[in-house]
Amino acid sequence: MLLPVFFNDMVDDYWHLRQHVQLWDVSVERQVSIKGKDTARLVQMMTPRDISKCQIKQCYYAPLCDEFGGIVNDPIILKLAEDHFWLSIADSDVLLWAKGLAYGLKLDVMIEEPYVNPLAVQGPKSDALMAKIFGDTVTKLRFFWFDYFQYKNHPFLIARSGWSKQGGFEIYMDNQDLAHDLWQHIMRVGQEFNIRQGCPHAIERVESGLLSYGNDMTLEHNPFEARLDKYVTLQHDTMSLSQSALRDIQHQGVSQRIEAIFIDGEKLSGLRYRWDIKNKHDVICGYVTSMAYSLLFQSNIALAMISATATYDDLYVTTTDGDRKITVSPNFPFDLPSKS
Amino acid sequence: MLLPVFFNDMVDDYWHLRQHVQLWDVSVERQVSIKGKDTARLVQMMTPRDISKCQIKQCYYAPLCDEFGGIVNDPIILKLAEDHFWLSIADSDVLLWAKGLAYGLKLDVMIEEPYVNPLAVQGPKSDALMAKIFGDTVTKLRFFWFDYFQYKNHPFLIARSGWSKQGGFEIYMDNQDLAHDLWQHIMRVGQEFNIRQGCPHAIERVESGLLSYGNDMTLEHNPFEARLDKYVTLQHDTMSLSQSALRDIQHQGVSQRIEAIFIDGEKLSGLRYRWDIKNKHDVICGYVTSMAYSLLFQSNIALAMISATATYDDLYVTTTDGDRKITVSPNFPFDLPSKS
């Protein structure tokens, strides 16, 4: 499955998303449905985050990790019932991993990919628009909670979530017959809010420090390297199959970590492969994982995996357009660098 | 990872592949490397094909099936050593399934995706070309066997295999430093054989009945539906985790099966979604999974999943260009239909 990169142009789409409201077809967010007696046990094995407090109708962002602590995926977990979860996944196949684990561990679960195609409503005018379609109660949803809202007598699962930092909702479209109808209805009602169709935005998500699985983190990385520490529970024993490895990694300390960086100079050509980051002795000590020309900062910005032993004040990056000095943002993701 | 569809045009590429030799970058064929004491046990659990007779340096085409008999993938299994196999996979993530199974079953294996990027040399002049590069012994390779052949002092694993029926080899490129050099060398030496770069060819593979995972078969299908019966061992007990389910399915009989069909009329627009196949009562009894305009038969041809209860002589397909009568090839994949 493919996902569009822009509709009008990157700059126009960007400001529109930050000022108005967009409707995104994010069908690429597939659901892995796990149902049955051992569901909570299996999900807890897959993630290092303690999910025992997760309530029905709550969403948990949670890295999934293998027994070496490597990140398999970073889905949003939706708890539909005590014995039924959806994992709304990023770009890797969680389904087969879950099936393998369940078979090997003889767990009583049914695992499948239901025909659910999420629609995201994103941007500052999302609440006003959604209230007109589903009623005011939809705006009462707290961040990372979901509930069911009627449209043409079908209850749609709607969460306050989405892959931008501009606010909004995700509608888990499970009704093929009403999909086109609801899309048209949202676009029609949205006219007064200057709605447009859109898609996750590469500049906005890098500025916001939203990590992209497969780019900024992979199976080769652990959650500490990806700054997902707060989603890793180590204090008390969970059933997580990565807990032991992650305790060891935390004890030893990580050798690299994702950082938000500014790259000096004119606007750069797009990132087509991983650019090396080097120190003043020309020793490689990291690489760029995502890059964008930030409209907010009027600067090239990037996410980069940088060695823990690197001295941050003498680094440069070898780009397609030549070598450029970089500045590591003191806080993650981005603060404007101090002018002192 | 993406794969090209053609280089010059579909027709030109087609005849070139059938008459000369092409060099394909098939890096998309990722290897799942399984190594360690329990390797043979894990691989045998994953496939319903009895692999106990597979010898070192032999390739086995083998469907992988889950505990319900659903096809997870259809790789070529390469036995590198008694305790080391590569699964050269089609379009699904076998790595995570294997990891899940191994963890759950506490198997002593190491599973990883090595940096191996296969190159295919395909077409009737492959043997002549390969002999000039690796020596005459490479032409002694039997179909679906491999061995190691030197180029610039590096031993390359080369198999007689490839995703066409025009003959040829696959070079499992595991040396990044020599990759560009060898590519250029093959292209240079290949000039006298009219070599071109190429890619798996949609028309040639449909004519040849080579099934494409994700199109002609998925996790929803079992190997009998995909006509892979001869790669399923049910007579004696294997350790395969799908054996019990597949025995039940064989006993009950399948409800549908892949067929090779001819579609009447002018050349059709490309297949963008599954076209329904209906009978004279307009009841849906199947769908087209792959379609091409055959240059060999000068006809639209397709692979289609058709209900076992359908009467084959009154079927039509609802294409983008309207309804068209179909003829099911009496043998799979394609015989020229009788002129009687």
Side-chain angles (χ1 to χ4, degrees):
Chain A
M1 296 182 74
L2 300 173
L3 188 67
V5 173
F6 64 86
F7 278 87
N8 293 318
D9 66 57
M10 290 297 285
V11 175
D12 192 47
D13 281 10
Y14 173 89
W15 293 115
H16 183 269
L17 173 61
R18 292 184 64 101
Q19 289 162 1
H20 304 289
V21 59
Q22 294 184 353
L23 184 54
W24 299 354
D25 175 349
V26 281
S27 304
V28 289
E29 295 173 13
R30 305 312 296 166
Q31 310 309 305
V32 175
S33 168
I34 306 178
K35 198 170 180 174
K37 192 167 65 64
D38 294 326
T39 294
R41 186 174 160 213
L42 176 57
V43 175
Q44 185 60 82
M45 292 194 74
M46 294 163 76
T47 178
R49 181 173 181 183
D50 181 359
I51 61 158
S52 62
K53 302 282 194 303
C54 184
Q55 293 180 50
I56 292 171
K57 296 188 181 176
Q58 192 170 7
C59 305
Y60 263 35
Y61 174 77
L64 307 182
C65 295
D66 73 6
E67 63 273 30
F68 308 107
I71 306 171
V72 172
N73 200 283
D74 67 325
I76 291 171
I77 296 172
L78 292 88
K79 185 170 178 176
L80 304 179
E82 288 302 336
D83 64 349
H84 191 192
F85 287 67
W86 279 353
L87 277 52
S88 187
I89 64 172
D91 298 347
S92 78
D93 280 0
V94 172
L95 184 84
L96 291 174
W97 189 50
K99 280 172 67 76
L101 288 169
Y103 180 86
L105 296 163
K106 297 186 181 10
L107 300 182
D108 183 1
V109 287
M110 187 154 81
I111 301 169
E112 56 181 7
E113 182 181 311
Y115 196 73
V116 173
N117 296 293
L119 272 183
V121 175
Q122 298 285 300
K125 298 180 182 170
S126 296
D127 275 69
L129 169 60
M130 290 292 279
K132 286 223 167 187
I133 291 166
F134 294 102
D136 279 340
T137 53
V138 76
T139 67
K140 304 290 189 298
L141 270 179
R142 283 179 287 160
F143 184 66
F144 266 43
W145 286 78
F146 67 86
D147 211 332
Y148 301 89
F149 299 88
Q150 298 282 330
Y151 176 74
K152 297 211 170 167
N153 292 319
H154 181 80
F156 285 95
L157 190 167
I158 299 178
R160 190 184 284 278
S161 58
W163 211 57
S164 85
K165 292 275 186 184
Q166 307 311 315
F169 301 85
E170 287 178 297
I171 305 167
Y172 286 77
M173 175 64 63
D174 62 347
N175 185 315
Q176 216 178 334
D177 296 329
L178 284 175
H180 187 70
D181 181 313
L182 180 57
W183 174 281
Q184 297 291 357
H185 185 60
I186 295 173
M187 291 303 285
R188 206 158 40 229
V189 175
Q191 277 180 9
E192 67 171 288
F193 305 106
N194 193 16
I195 196 170
R196 286 191 199 160
Q197 59 183 324
C199 52
H201 197 287
I203 301 174
E204 195 275 342
R205 78 103 184 153
V206 174
E207 283 178 349
S208 303
L210 288 172
L211 303 190
S212 163
Y213 188 79
N215 293 305
D216 307 310
M217 56 184 159
T218 71
L219 192 56
E220 307 299 313
H221 299 106
N222 64 58
F224 305 118
E225 291 171 330
R227 292 178 172 267
L228 302 177
D229 308 47
K230 71 173 172 174
Y231 305 108
V232 176
T233 304
L234 299 181
Q235 305 86 328
H236 58 272
D237 288 350
T238 60
M239 300 275 290
S240 172
L241 59 83
S242 58
Q243 194 173 43
S244 166
L246 290 174
R247 279 179 172 151
D248 290 346
I249 292 167
Q250 197 201 38
H251 182 71
Q252 291 156 16
V254 294
S255 60
Q256 56 183 0
R257 201 162 66 144
I258 199 93
E259 296 286 0
I261 65 172
F262 294 91
I263 305 178
D264 273 11
E266 295 299 297
K267 186 179 174 180
L268 290 161
S269 314
L271 187 69
R272 288 267 169 274
Y273 56 93
R274 291 182 161 182
W275 293 336
D276 287 334
I277 290 173
K278 298 178 181 172
N279 67 13
K280 64 180 168 192
H281 305 296
D282 303 325
V283 177
I284 294 174
C285 47
Y287 51 91
V288 170
T289 60
S290 294
M291 196 276 295
Y293 184 80
S294 166
L295 296 165
L296 212 54
F297 299 115
Q298 295 288 312
S299 168
N300 299 296
I301 60 170
L303 301 174
M305 194 61 81
I306 302 186
S307 167
T309 59
T311 309
Y312 278 9
D313 55 7
D314 67 352
L315 300 179
Y316 71 95
V317 57
T318 57
T319 80
T320 315
D321 302 322
D323 293 349
R324 298 280 183 94
K325 188 177 175 337
I326 70 170
T327 308
V328 179
S329 173
N331 297 307
F332 188 89
F334 292 97
D335 287 335
L336 278 170
S338 105
K339 299 286 185 190
S340 67
Chain B
M1 296 183 72
L2 300 174
L3 189 66
V5 174
F6 63 86
F7 278 87
N8 293 317
D9 68 57
M10 290 297 284
V11 175
D12 191 47
D13 282 9
Y14 174 90
W15 292 116
H16 183 269
L17 173 62
R18 293 184 64 100
Q19 289 163 359
H20 304 289
V21 59
Q22 295 183 352
L23 183 55
W24 300 353
D25 176 350
V26 281
S27 303
V28 290
E29 295 172 13
R30 305 312 296 166
Q31 310 309 305
V32 175
S33 167
I34 306 179
K35 197 170 182 175
K37 191 167 65 66
D38 294 327
T39 295
R41 186 174 160 212
L42 175 57
V43 175
Q44 184 61 81
M45 291 195 74
M46 294 164 75
T47 178
R49 181 172 182 184
D50 181 359
I51 61 158
S52 62
K53 303 283 195 302
C54 185
Q55 295 179 49
I56 292 171
K57 297 187 179 176
Q58 193 170 8
C59 305
Y60 262 35
Y61 173 78
L64 306 182
C65 294
D66 72 7
E67 63 272 32
F68 308 107
I71 305 171
V72 171
N73 200 284
D74 67 325
I76 290 172
I77 296 172
L78 291 87
K79 184 170 179 175
L80 304 180
E82 289 301 335
D83 63 351
H84 191 194
F85 287 67
W86 279 353
L87 277 51
S88 187
I89 64 172
D91 297 347
S92 79
D93 280 0
V94 172
L95 184 83
L96 291 174
W97 189 51
K99 280 173 67 77
L101 288 169
Y103 180 86
L105 295 163
K106 299 186 180 11
L107 300 182
D108 182 2
V109 287
M110 185 154 82
I111 302 170
E112 56 182 7
E113 182 181 310
Y115 196 72
V116 172
N117 297 293
L119 273 183
V121 174
Q122 299 285 297
K125 298 179 182 170
S126 297
D127 275 68
L129 169 60
M130 290 291 279
K132 286 223 167 186
I133 291 166
F134 295 103
D136 279 340
T137 52
V138 76
T139 67
K140 304 290 188 299
L141 271 179
R142 282 177 289 159
F143 184 66
F144 265 44
W145 287 77
F146 66 86
D147 212 330
Y148 300 89
F149 299 88
Q150 297 281 332
Y151 176 73
K152 297 210 170 170
N153 293 319
H154 182 79
F156 286 95
L157 190 166
I158 299 177
R160 190 183 283 279
S161 57
W163 211 56
S164 85
K165 292 274 187 184
Q166 307 311 316
F169 301 85
E170 287 177 298
I171 305 167
Y172 286 77
M173 176 63 63
D174 63 348
N175 185 315
Q176 216 177 333
D177 297 328
L178 283 176
H180 186 70
D181 181 314
L182 180 57
W183 175 282
Q184 297 291 358
H185 184 61
I186 295 172
M187 290 303 285
R188 206 159 39 229
V189 175
Q191 277 180 8
E192 68 172 288
F193 304 107
N194 194 13
I195 196 171
R196 285 192 201 160
Q197 60 182 325
C199 52
H201 197 286
I203 301 174
E204 195 274 343
R205 78 103 184 151
V206 174
E207 283 178 349
S208 303
L210 288 172
L211 303 189
S212 163
Y213 188 80
N215 292 305
D216 308 310
M217 55 184 160
T218 71
L219 192 56
E220 307 300 312
H221 299 107
N222 64 58
F224 306 118
E225 291 171 331
R227 292 178 173 266
L228 302 177
D229 308 47
K230 71 173 172 173
Y231 305 108
V232 176
T233 304
L234 299 180
Q235 306 85 326
H236 58 272
D237 288 351
T238 61
M239 300 275 290
S240 172
L241 58 83
S242 59
Q243 194 173 43
S244 166
L246 290 173
R247 279 180 172 151
D248 289 348
I249 293 168
Q250 197 200 39
H251 183 70
Q252 290 155 18
V254 294
S255 59
Q256 56 183 0
R257 201 162 65 145
I258 200 91
E259 297 285 1
I261 65 171
F262 294 90
I263 305 178
D264 272 12
E266 295 299 297
K267 186 178 175 181
L268 289 161
S269 313
L271 188 69
R272 289 269 169 272
Y273 56 93
R274 291 182 162 184
W275 292 337
D276 286 336
I277 290 171
K278 298 177 181 172
N279 67 14
K280 64 180 168 193
H281 305 295
D282 303 323
V283 176
I284 294 174
C285 47
Y287 52 90
V288 170
T289 60
S290 294
M291 196 276 295
Y293 184 79
S294 166
L295 296 164
L296 212 53
F297 299 116
Q298 295 287 312
S299 168
N300 299 296
I301 61 169
L303 302 174
M305 195 60 82
I306 302 185
S307 167
T309 60
T311 310
Y312 279 9
D313 56 8
D314 68 352
L315 300 178
Y316 71 95
V317 57
T318 57
T319 79
T320 315
D321 302 321
D323 293 349
R324 298 280 182 93
K325 189 177 175 336
I326 71 170
T327 308
V328 179
S329 173
N331 297 307
F332 188 89
F334 291 97
D335 286 335
L336 278 171
S338 104
K339 299 287 186 191
S340 69

